[in-house]
Amino acid sequence: MSAYDKILPIEYPAIKSAGLYYFNTPSGLRYEVRFGRRQDNILHASIVFGVINDEFEGEEYVTTNRGEVFQVMNTIVDIVKDFIKQHPKVCIYEFNAVGRDGENETKAENARMHLYKRYLPKIYDKTWNFKIDGNYALVTKKD
């Protein structure tokens, strides 16, 4: 299996409703993938993921360039699919593509959103709608 298709070993939540997953990359980066529920709508989940290694001093949206982006994104796809399977009633998902340091925030879409747009169709099939607004993506279940 090539690095383009590889899914890294996932640490699933002990309690399925927790919505907190982890995985490690071959270079030693530890990622956290968190599903947050909206207070006003528990069927709306925000997806946040990033490196949690101490060396990055708590910067949760740190970007690394260790040649592992495909493995990382494939693993995140697998995690989101698992969450969807475990929580079939959740009908809204949101992604925020936080820009890198020095990246122009007024730009219509940053590099992360371009990457997310490439992977969203690998997670969600034709029964979902995508709405991209700048660096924010909202995915909703079709009626």
Side-chain angles (χ1 to χ4, degrees), residues 1-19:
M1 177 179 292
S2 76
Y4 294 108
D5 303 318
K6 187 173 183 180
I7 296 171
L8 301 168
I10 299 166
E11 296 171 34
Y12 294 89
I15 302 169
K16 293 185 190 307
S17 62

Side-chain angles (χ1 to χ4, degrees), residues 2-139:
S2 76
Y4 294 108
D5 303 318
K6 187 173 183 180
I7 296 171
L8 301 168
I10 299 166
E11 296 171 34
Y12 294 89
I15 302 169
K16 293 185 190 307
S17 62
L20 185 59
Y21 298 74
Y22 296 96
F23 65 93
N24 299 308
T25 67
S27 72
L29 294 177
R30 182 156 177 82
Y31 278 81
E32 175 184 85
V33 181
R34 181 181 301 267
F35 295 81
R37 302 286 191 96
R38 298 269 299 250
Q39 251 183 334
D40 61 340
N41 182 358
I42 62 168
L43 301 179
H44 182 149
S46 298
I47 303 170
V48 178
F49 56 90
V51 175
I52 59 170
N53 296 57
D54 288 340
E55 67 186 278
F56 298 107
E57 300 175 357
E59 174 55 48
E60 65 182 312
Y61 299 111
V62 70
T63 301
T64 63
N65 189 7
R66 297 189 179 171
E68 299 169 322
V69 68
F70 298 111
Q71 294 173 56
V72 166
M73 291 305 295
N74 288 334
T75 304
I76 291 168
V77 165
D78 207 52
I79 288 170
V80 176
K81 284 181 174 183
D82 181 74
F83 186 87
I84 292 169
K85 187 171 116 183
Q86 299 299 329
H87 304 86
K89 302 262 187 220
V90 174
C91 56
I92 304 170
Y93 290 91
E94 67 179 66
F95 296 81
N96 281 299
V98 176
R100 293 179 258 186
D101 287 341
E103 199 166 39
N104 184 351
E105 288 298 318
T106 60
K107 189 174 162 183
E109 291 177 6
N110 63 24
R112 282 189 179 160
M113 182 51 71
H114 286 290
L115 181 65
Y116 294 178
K117 283 172 58 175
R118 186 172 167 188
Y119 280 86
L120 287 174
K122 294 180 181 206
I123 300 170
Y124 303 99
D125 62 21
K126 302 275 186 214
T127 63
W128 295 85
N129 288 316
F130 302 99
K131 181 180 178 198
I132 310 289
D133 185 15
N135 296 316
Y136 175 78
L138 189 68
V139 183

